[in-house]
Amino acid sequence: MLFLQYFARQVKRSGRWARAAVLLLLGVVLMLGMAGPSCAQGTSRGAVVVLEVRGVIDPIVAGYVEQGISAANSAGAELVVIQLDTPGGLDTAMRVIVQAILNSDVPVAVFVTPSGARAASAGVFITMAGHVAAMAPGTNIGAAHPVDISQGEIPATMADKVTNDAAAYIRAIAEQRGRNADWAEKAVRQSVSLTAQQALESRVVDLVAGDLDDLLTRLDGRQVTLNGDQVTLELAAAPVEKRSMTWLQVIAHGIVDPNIAYLLLSLGTVALVAEFWNPGAIIPGVTGAIFLILAFVALGSLPVNWGGIVLIVFAFILFILDIKVTGFALSVAGAISFIFGSLLLFSPFNPEAPTMPRLSVSPWLLAGMTALLVGFFSVVVTAGLRAQKRAGLMRIQVPAGTTGVALSDLDPQGAVQVQSEMWTAVADAGPVRAGETIEVIGTDGLRLRVRRPG
């Protein structure tokens, strides 16, 4: 806590551009951490590498799986196991994973587990792509028909294009792996689903296993086709190495949720507005920058209608302008703009293929954030501005012409020492650097107005 307080004081004294640089640096560090490779973990030769995929298939998950398979290939692992439980995901992210599996030099087993898990929509494609496809009892697979993530109806022409593309893609994968291509196409065209036992009997998957240990036992000595050759899996003595996401990847994957992304976007903007009206506070600015970076990381992994974001930003502009005028007309318009923007945020004009879980912002969260923003701008910010405009209760007894020294850069605001006392000062004519001599030319409330002598 002491370090944070010291850091905040130093940044506050460093001037406007330095503060901007600090915020930018924090953003860059965070983004680099998000993009950092998870394959920094070591992989042993001949090992079984276990990857765990839970939730929506997004670019973060795709990168994690791609890196894990790449590391297993580089180390000469015996097998990669992807433990899967997903409701679906983005077409682009799913294709990255499928391509990584199809082009792997190490056999990849996709295991739908634990009991109660599912491989829906995009998960069907990933399961079909595995050199080995397995399911745990009590799991299900299917329902891969393309849907409009805006929860509306896909136009007929677009629906045909999306459906035909997805059907051809999954049939090609199933045929390459020798699985039931007819059922795979039905999963896309008719949204059919199967239980684990039904999938085994229909040649959709290769086996049913109770858990990871049972799966490895059943796969030991099994032959799989790898790049046109028959390879025998030797797993009896193979070490099992679980490769988890980095903590930054976990955070990035966790925020890929419309409600969390919406919350981060709203709170981040509020925090930056608070920093704007109270420059130098640092904490609101840093918090707002981090929240907005996380929000855009999440929005980059979600199908977004950017018109909704424009309406939300426009709402904040109206809220800010309403502070300067009498009445509440702009705040009412801002609230309406904010609500419409929130409703449109995850309603893109063009549907994404193949499928994506239905996305929308919770009505309760939308109502709560609207009330919070209206309250914030009508009460908190307005009160702050009134306090800033209130006449000072003390008068500064520093005559014009008095000289002193700048304790920090004045660009334009900083700290100076005059008559053995420290004052907040504003440079009237260009920036003044720390250590330079200054001359008092007047006052502004409880601040001194200064310049270089002469």
Side-chain angles (χ1 to χ4, degrees):
M1 180 61 72
L2 291 176
F3 170 77
L4 292 176
Q5 292 175 348
Y6 172 78
F7 175 75
R9 286 198 300 269
Q10 293 302 111
V11 174
K12 186 175 181 179
R13 293 176 181 175
S14 60
R16 179 176 56 193
W17 295 110
R19 289 197 296 271
V22 169
L23 295 180
L24 180 61
L25 178 61
L26 287 173
V28 170
V29 169
L30 184 61
M31 293 298 291
L32 288 177
M34 294 292 185
S38 65
C39 51
Q41 309 168 36
T43 299
S44 304
R45 184 171 185 82
V48 175
V49 178
V50 179
L51 308 176
E52 187 170 355
V53 175
R54 305 285 183 229
V56 174
I57 304 299
D58 56 48
I60 304 300
V61 169
Y64 159 69
V65 173
E66 187 179 35
Q67 291 161 6
I69 293 176
S70 176
N73 278 276
S74 299
E78 184 70 16
L79 177 69
V80 175
V81 177
I82 300 176
Q83 297 189 116
L84 182 66
D85 179 12
T86 179
L90 292 176
D91 176 54
T92 52
M94 175 272 290
R95 288 177 185 262
V96 168
I97 296 175
V98 169
Q99 289 177 15
I101 296 173
L102 294 179
N103 293 286
S104 175
D105 294 326
V106 173
V108 178
V110 180
F111 184 27
V112 184
T113 186
S115 293
R118 58 177 167 165
S121 61
V124 181
F125 292 76
I126 295 171
T127 305
M128 283 288 179
H131 298 86
V132 176
M135 298 176 68
T139 59
N140 65 280
I141 185 172
H145 183 71
V147 296
D148 184 350
I149 51 177
S150 66
Q151 302 185 36
E153 292 294 329
I154 304 178
T157 303
M158 178 63 72
D160 289 341
K161 290 182 179 180
V162 171
T163 302
N164 291 335
D165 176 72
Y169 189 51
I170 200 167
R171 173 172 278 277
I173 295 171
E175 289 176 349
Q176 181 175 346
R177 294 300 188 218
R179 300 200 174 98
N180 191 334
D182 291 335
W183 178 89
E185 185 170 349
K186 286 182 180 180
V188 170
R189 296 190 181 279
Q190 302 175 22
S191 294
V192 296
S193 296
L194 296 173
T195 65
Q197 189 59 38
Q198 289 172 336
L200 179 63
E201 295 170 356
S202 301
R203 295 187 302 106
V204 173
V205 298
D206 303 311
L207 55 92
V208 174
D211 53 25
L212 179 61
D213 291 336
D214 186 26
L215 174 68
L216 297 181
T217 300
R218 291 171 178 266
L219 290 181
D220 186 29
R222 186 187 184 96
Q223 285 192 332
V224 297
T225 302
L226 181 65
N227 299 327
D229 299 323
Q230 291 295 311
V231 176
T232 301
L233 298 177
E234 298 177 357
L235 307 177
V240 177
E241 298 180 357
K242 294 187 177 182
R243 299 177 59 82
S244 304
M245 287 185 177
T246 65
W247 66 272
L248 284 173
Q249 286 176 324
V250 171
I251 293 174
H253 180 52
I255 64 176
V256 181
D257 176 276
N259 292 308
I260 296 177
Y262 171 74
L263 190 63
L264 289 171
L265 178 66
S266 302
L267 294 180
T269 307
V270 169
L272 285 187
V273 171
E275 176 71 23
F276 174 78
W277 288 114
N278 186 24
I282 301 301
I283 299 301
V286 172
T287 303
I290 292 175
F291 278 15
L292 285 179
I293 290 170
L294 291 173
F296 283 112
V297 168
L299 293 174
S301 301
L302 292 168
V304 174
N305 185 334
W306 290 97
I309 291 183
V310 171
L311 284 172
I312 291 175
V313 173
F314 182 61
F316 280 98
I317 294 174
L318 292 177
F319 284 136
I320 293 172
L321 292 177
D322 198 33
I323 297 172
K324 299 291 187 178
V325 300
T326 57
F328 297 94
L330 293 181
S331 288
V332 173
I336 294 173
S337 178
F338 185 82
I339 292 172
F340 275 104
S342 301
L343 293 173
L344 290 174
L345 189 58
F346 298 106
S347 300
F349 296 114
N350 296 320
E352 298 283 339
T355 62
M356 186 75 181
R358 294 192 171 188
L359 303 177
S360 62
V361 178
S362 167
W364 294 104
L365 179 60
L366 191 155
M369 285 305 305
T370 302
L372 173 64
L373 292 177
V374 172
F376 175 80
F377 283 99
S378 62
V379 178
V380 179
V381 175
T382 303
L385 288 176
R386 288 174 180 170
Q388 291 181 13
K389 294 178 180 179
R390 188 179 300 131
L393 299 179
M394 299 175 58
R395 292 185 177 274
I396 299 178
Q397 302 296 327
V398 179
T402 306
T403 59
V405 62
L407 298 178
S408 67
D409 291 345
L410 277 66
D411 187 19
Q413 182 172 305
V416 299
Q417 183 173 343
V418 178
Q419 295 179 341
S420 301
E421 295 180 337
M422 182 183 296
W423 298 89
T424 298
V426 177
D428 268 26
V432 177
R433 302 304 174 196
E436 292 184 345
T437 301
I438 53 91
E439 177 184 358
V440 177
I441 60 174
T443 61
D444 180 11
L446 296 179
R447 297 181 298 184
L448 301 180
R449 294 172 45 235
V450 302
R451 67 181 180 187
R452 293 191 183 90

